[in-house]
Structures are given as structure tokens and as C-alpha cells.
Amino acid sequence: MAGVLAKGIDVSEFNGPVDFAALKGKIDFAILRCGYGSDYVNQDDKEFEENVRKCQAAGIPYGAYLYSYAKTVEMAQSEARHALRLLAGKEPLYGVWYDVEDSSLPEGEALIDNVVAFCDRVAEAGYCCGVYSFLYWMVTRLNSPRLDKYLKWVAQWNSTLDYDKPVALWQYTDSGVLLGKKFDMNKAYVDFPGLCGRKEETVDREEAAAIAREEAQQVYRENEDKYKTIADLPEWARASAQRVYTTLGLTGTGDPKDLTIDASETYARTLVVIDKVLDLLPGAPEKE
């Protein structure tokens, strides 16, 4: 088994209020129960939102778990919606876990179908997802190869873990004591923040520069070449532009016959100002 990368606790409303600020430096992470069963508000964990807030304030990364009572795939899908509703806008860097251990759960492929339904839906929403259970269920009822693609969080309250598949988290005791309070204690064997954190998109610098150049060129074309000829100028500028070009003997940028000027809005306004200046000069031609 790989080395331990972090140690943490898992908590629910049954732990009561938890002082995560005081636990800073004593734990590396926390797994917080978000709720249980299908998507009903009265089955939300009463401390979940507050535990998330406290973890964030203390700078402690967290994950979340939902305790399952699903007897059918439809119920498992409702449990997935339950978890996703509570996780909206949150970033559980230590994953989202399906707690599969209740004695009322179905057996055989029906149980596997439920786990797949929950985990696939949560993974599709962009979260790292895994399965939690105690060792006996992991090696018997949850030993299907269909579950090999999910992270595993195994509970075995012992000095060693007797599980021969890859393990992400090990809950090694339910009797850890921190600051005089009892907690479930866990060891992490994968880099959860690296695995579950949002990845920055990699941008090709050459491609980004090319896009920026094209955008700038488009803005230039739309603004600097707005009026191709004097005839294309707005009415308020047309006469002034004609007078300026005639008086000063300007020929434009293209065919002298159509006086191609490739003018921007700013240039048009400048021509109007020049026309007014010409009025002030001695011998200025009369306006028509």
C-alpha cells in the first residue's frame, strides 16, 4: 500500500458542533456527512452547511458523504440528486462518497446497480466519487469489477488494513480523540486536492496570440475603415469632408475619382473641425 499522505476525520450531526478552527494543524482534512437517503430537505444533515463554513474558514479541505437507504436504482438516483443539491457551489476536494452499509440495502447485482447509478451521476457532475463501506462488505457484496473504477474508502478498525484492492481512504478507528472529543479517524493514500481539484485549462500561447491579433484586426476594420469614401460618410460630415479635400487638394487613399478615404468616426469628426478652421482663414472659399 502507498504511504499515508494525510490524516483526517469524518463527522455528521451526531458529532454535534465541531470546532474546526481548533482542529487546524491537528487534521489535514474532514469528510462531512451531507445527508441520508432520497432527496428530501428533512434528510439533510443538520450540521453540513455549518461544517462546510467552518472548514472553509479554518482552511481545512473537506469531502462529503451521503448515507444510502436505496432499494432501487430510482432511489439511488434520488440520493445522487440529494448530494448534488447540497454540493452546489462547493468544492469537496476530498471527494464525494456513497456510504453503503445499511442492513436494509439489497443484495447481489441490485446493490451494484445502485452504486453505479449514484457514482456515475455524481461523477458526471464533475466530482470525484467513491464508495464507503466496512471491510466485510467491500470483499463480499461490493467486490464487483463494475466498481473498480470508483475510489474506495474502507472501514476496518484495526492496526492494519486487510484489503487487497487499491484504497483511497482508510477509516482505521471510530475512537480517535481530539481536543477531548471522539471522532472517526482516517488516513488518505492519494493526493485528493491534486486529483479532485479543478484543473486550470492549458492555453497555447501562440494560438492565444493569433486569436488576440485577429480580434484586434477585426476591431480596426470595423472602426478605422468604417467609411470607404466621402459618399459613405454620414450627412453631418459629408459636405465638410468634400470641402477639406477640395481646398487642400487631397487625393484620398485610392482612386481619385471616388475619393477613397477609409475613414473612421474620429477622422470624420476631424474633417468637420478642419472645415471650421478653414472658415477662419483669409481667402477661404465660400461654402455652397
Side-chain angles (χ1 to χ4, degrees):
M1 182 185 296
V4 176
L5 300 181
K7 292 185 178 182
I9 60 175
D10 61 270
V11 302
S12 73
E13 64 186 63
F14 299 113
N15 292 94
V18 177
D19 188 351
F20 283 102
L23 290 174
K24 178 71 172 177
K26 300 182 183 300
I27 59 172
D28 303 307
F29 65 89
I31 312 292
L32 315 174
R33 190 181 76 154
C34 61
Y36 60 92
S38 295
D39 190 13
Y40 302 110
V41 172
N42 64 351
Q43 295 184 167
D44 297 352
D45 188 291
K46 295 177 177 60
E47 292 289 334
F48 178 65
E49 295 293 343
E50 185 67 4
N51 284 338
V52 169
R53 186 192 67 76
K54 289 178 180 178
C55 281
Q56 291 174 331
I60 296 174
Y62 64 90
Y65 75 92
L66 185 131
Y67 190 97
S68 176
Y69 287 106
K71 295 177 175 58
T72 65
V73 166
E74 290 72 22
M75 292 176 70
Q77 291 170 338
S78 180
E79 291 183 337
R81 291 193 298 272
H82 190 178
L84 293 175
R85 170 172 58 81
L86 292 167
L87 291 169
K90 300 179 176 65
E91 189 172 12
L93 291 179
Y94 272 76
V96 180
W97 302 91
Y98 200 32
D99 186 342
V100 181
E101 60 177 300
D102 197 81
S103 60
S104 67
L105 297 179
E107 298 186 4
E109 287 301 303
L111 179 61
I112 304 303
D113 289 343
N114 287 354
V115 175
V116 170
F118 179 95
C119 290
D120 279 359
R121 180 66 189 88
V122 171
E124 285 168 6
Y127 298 101
C128 290
C129 192
V131 187
Y132 166 91
S133 195
F134 49 93
L135 178 66
Y136 180 72
W137 274 37
M138 283 293 194
V139 299
T140 55
R141 298 174 68 174
L142 296 169
N143 197 34
S144 170
R146 294 173 61 196
L147 304 184
D148 287 347
K149 61 181 177 179
Y150 307 122
L151 298 169
K152 301 291 175 54
W153 178 12
V154 183
Q156 183 183 13
W157 302 333
N158 196 9
S159 59
T160 59
L161 176 59
D162 304 313
Y163 187 65
D164 59 5
K165 287 187 175 183
V167 175
L169 286 172
W170 172 25
Q171 186 187 81
Y172 62 92
T173 182
D174 67 338
S175 302
V177 177
L178 296 171
L179 303 177
K181 197 164 187 173
K182 191 165 79 170
F183 295 99
D184 294 341
M185 303 296 297
N186 300 271
K187 297 178 181 180
Y189 295 92
V190 300
D191 174 18
F192 277 98
L195 179 66
C196 301
R198 296 192 181 116
K199 308 297 188 296
E200 296 291 336
E201 289 188 25
T202 57
V203 178
D204 183 275
R205 290 178 178 271
E206 294 284 338
E207 181 181 357
I211 293 172
R213 284 194 297 270
E214 177 56 31
E215 290 290 337
Q217 189 62 36
Q218 181 64 24
V219 171
Y220 176 85
R221 287 193 294 268
E222 291 175 356
N223 292 280
E224 297 304 313
D225 295 341
K226 190 171 184 178
Y227 308 113
K228 297 299 292 182
T229 70
I230 285 180
D232 296 325
L233 287 169
E235 187 175 350
W236 56 264
R238 201 175 302 142
S240 290
Q242 185 67 61
R243 183 167 179 249
V244 169
Y245 269 74
T246 300
T247 302
L248 301 180
L250 302 177
T251 59
T253 59
D255 189 339
K257 294 179 182 178
D258 63 9
L259 276 180
T260 302
I261 60 175
D262 297 319
S264 66
E265 186 85 15
T266 300
Y267 185 57
R269 294 184 182 281
T270 302
L271 291 174
V272 173
V273 172
I274 293 173
D275 184 34
K276 293 182 182 301
V277 172
L278 288 176
D279 283 339
L280 302 175
L281 296 177
E286 295 291 331
K287 290 185 177 178
E288 297 181 0

